[in-house]
Amino acid sequence: MSNSTSKNRRLALVGALAVAGAALAFISFGNIGENLVYYWDPGQLIAAGDKSIGATIRLGGVVKKDTIDWDPDRSELAFTVSDGVAEVNVHCTGAPPQMFREGIGVVVEGTMTKAGIFESSRLMVKHSNEYKAPEEGTSVEELYKTVEAL
Amino acid sequence: MKNRWEIAIGILGFLMLAVAHYIGLFVSPAEAMMGDVGRILYAHVPTAWVGLLTYLVAFIAAIGALLSGKAAWDALVEASVEVGLLLNAVLLIQGSLWAKPTWGVFWTWDPRLTTTAIMVVAFGVVLALRRQIDDPQRRLTISSVATIVAFVNVPIVYMSVKWWRTLHQNFSSPETVDPMMVIPLRLAAFGMLFISTAFVVRRWRIAMAGLRVDFEAPDLPAAPTPLKVED
C-alpha cells in the first residue's frame, strides 16, 4: 500500500472527527433549543400577546383539573392547558385519544383566536416515562372507556 | 463449520425474544394508562437500544477502517450500517404504531422523532455512497468519513428527550417501570442484542467475500458492458 493513501486516510479521519466533534459541540452547547422549540407553554403563548394570533402554534402543558367539557352530541371538546402558573383555554372537535384525562400532559396544534381561545386542530396526549400496572381491581376494558367517562 | 457460533447466538436470541414476548404479552400487567397497547414497549425500546449500539459499532469500524485501510474493517462498516438501518426503520414503524392509539397521531415533528428520521436518511446515504464507488480504497475512505459524520446524530437522538421539549417520553429507568415490566424488557433487549450480533457477523462474512477480491485486485477491469443491439 502506498504511503500517500494511508496519509490521506489519516487526514480524512482527523477531518471527519473534527467535523463530527464540532457539530456535536455546537448542538449540545449552543442555544439551538431556545430558538427551536417543539411547543410553547401557556406562559410563553400569553407573553407573545397579539403576535400569537393567527399563526400556527403548538401549545403544551397539563390538562387542568375540572376544566374538561366534552359534548358528545356535537363532538366538541374544551379544556384548559396549564403550566402551573399560566393557563390557556383550548377548544377542539373530535373525540380525544383514549389516554386523554385530567392532569395528563398534552400538546395541541392550532391557532390563538382574538377571543383568547386556542382553536386546536390536532390534539396529542403525552405519556410520562412511568409504566405502571393498573390499580388493583381495574380491568383493561375499563381503560378504553375514557371518552364515556368524560 | 466456522459460522456455528453465530448461528447459535442467533437462535439463542430468537428464543430469548420469544420468552420475553410471552411474558410481556401474557404474564406482565397491562399499562395503567395505555392498557394492552403499552406492551409494545418490550419490542420498541430494545430495538432502539440495539439499533443505536449497532451504529456505535459502525462508528468504531469506520475509525478502524481509516486507520488500517483493511477490508475487514470496511466490511464491518458495511455490515453494521446495514443492520443498524434495518433496526432504525423497524423502530420508526413500531413507534408510529404505538403513537397512534396513545398520543393520537402516527407522526409529529418532535425532536426525538425528527432526529430519528434524519438518522435513517444519513445512514442510508452511507450505503448509497458505497454502491456508487468502485475503487475499494476510495470507497473505504469516503464511506467511513460519511459514517463518522452520520454518527454525530446518534448521541443527539439519544439525548433529544433530555435536551428539548418533546412529545416522546423521557428516559425511563427501573424506578419508573413496574418490576414485572422490567423483566421482559431486559430479556427482549438481550435477545435483540444477540440476534443483531448474529446478523452483523453474517452480513460481515458476506461483505468480506466481495471485498477481499476488490482489495486484492483493485485494478481488475470492470465487468464488460452488455452489447448494444443496433436497431
Side-chain angles (χ1 to χ4, degrees):
Chain A
M1 193 165 303
S2 71
N3 263 332
S4 74
T5 46
S6 84
K7 211 174 173 185
N8 282 345
R9 283 200 320 266
R10 299 256 151 94
L11 269 174
L13 175 61
V14 172
L17 288 174
V19 169
L24 192 60
F26 176 72
I27 291 166
S28 53
F29 300 117
N31 48 9
I32 277 186
E34 286 170 26
N35 302 317
L36 239 166
V37 284
Y38 175 61
Y39 60 79
W40 280 2
D41 56 39
Q44 287 169 308
L45 185 63
I46 290 166
D50 285 351
K51 276 192 292 175
S52 68
I53 294 171
T56 303
I57 292 165
R58 277 193 215 100
L59 169 72
V62 170
V63 179
K64 201 186 172 192
K65 221 171 177 203
D66 298 324
T67 63
I68 297 176
D69 181 12
W70 166 242
D71 180 348
D73 296 327
R74 296 166 58 205
S75 194
E76 282 191 70
L77 180 68
F79 56 93
T80 301
V81 170
S82 163
D83 59 10
V85 184
E87 292 173 359
V88 172
N89 293 323
V90 176
H91 174 263
C92 60
T93 50
Q98 168 256 321
M99 288 203 309
F100 183 82
R101 67 197 67 194
E102 289 177 346
I104 202 160
V106 287
V107 175
V108 285
E109 246 171 56
T111 50
M112 196 66 184
T113 59
K114 283 205 179 107
I117 290 173
F118 190 90
E119 194 61 46
S120 158
S121 52
R122 206 152 106 116
L123 165 63
M124 297 177 279
V125 180
K126 200 174 152 121
H127 188 266
S128 76
N129 62 345
E130 293 186 9
Y131 300 87
K132 291 185 208 144
E135 275 172 43
E136 210 66 49
T138 346
S139 78
V140 174
E141 285 70 27
E142 281 170 44
L143 290 173
Y144 302 124
K145 293 184 183 165
T146 330
V147 172
E148 290 164 41
L150 287 176
Chain B
M1 264 190 357
K2 63 178 177 183
N3 59 0
R4 191 178 288 163
W5 76 268
E6 86 203 36
I7 292 173
I9 207 168
I11 291 172
L12 179 65
F14 273 110
L15 288 176
M16 287 173 78
L17 213 55
V19 173
H21 286 299
Y22 179 83
I23 298 173
L25 288 173
F26 301 109
V27 183
S28 297
E31 208 279 328
M33 287 198 186
M34 296 185 280
D36 284 326
V37 179
R39 297 176 196 273
I40 200 170
L41 174 78
Y42 315 123
H44 186 65
V45 172
T47 306
W49 284 341
V50 178
L52 296 185
L53 211 56
T54 310
Y55 282 144
L56 179 64
V57 173
F59 175 68
I60 294 165
I63 294 173
L66 287 174
L67 287 176
S68 71
K70 294 261 166 63
W73 286 108
D74 195 39
L76 188 57
V77 171
E78 185 169 316
S80 48
V81 168
E82 198 170 296
V83 174
L85 199 58
L86 174 74
L87 291 168
N88 196 344
V90 169
L91 180 70
L92 287 170
I93 296 166
Q94 291 167 339
S96 281
L97 292 177
W98 195 5
K100 182 62 183 171
T102 53
W103 298 348
V105 293
F106 280 113
W107 186 262
T108 179
W109 293 102
D110 99 327
R112 171 54 77 80
L113 276 61
T114 306
T115 51
T116 309
I118 292 171
M119 197 159 66
V120 161
V121 176
F123 284 98
V125 166
V126 173
L127 287 189
L129 274 175
R130 290 189 65 85
R131 298 289 185 283
Q132 295 302 313
I133 306 167
D134 289 329
D135 175 30
Q137 281 296 336
R138 248 174 74 81
R139 181 171 55 214
L140 178 149
T141 306
I142 291 174
S143 69
S144 296
V145 167
T147 302
I148 291 169
V149 173
F151 184 78
V152 172
N153 190 23
V154 173
I156 296 171
V157 168
Y158 183 73
M159 293 305 294
S160 56
V161 291
K162 259 249 139 32
W163 286 348
W164 299 302
R165 289 177 177 176
T166 57
L167 183 64
H168 193 283
Q169 38 272 73
N170 206 329
F171 299 128
S172 47
S173 68
E175 286 79 54
T176 65
V177 181
D178 186 285
M180 266 316 287
M181 298 179 182
V182 173
I183 295 167
L185 190 56
R186 287 242 168 98
L187 202 56
F190 279 102
M192 282 299 284
L193 180 66
F194 290 166
I195 290 170
S196 299
T197 306
F199 277 178
V200 170
V201 174
R202 174 54 60 98
R203 187 62 186 80
W204 177 83
R205 262 183 225 291
I206 295 167
M208 271 309 272
L211 289 178
R212 208 177 263 132
V213 180
D214 274 9
F215 273 75
E216 275 164 16
D219 298 327
L220 278 181
T225 44
L227 282 175
K228 269 201 196 116
V229 180
E230 305 265 329
D231 50 15

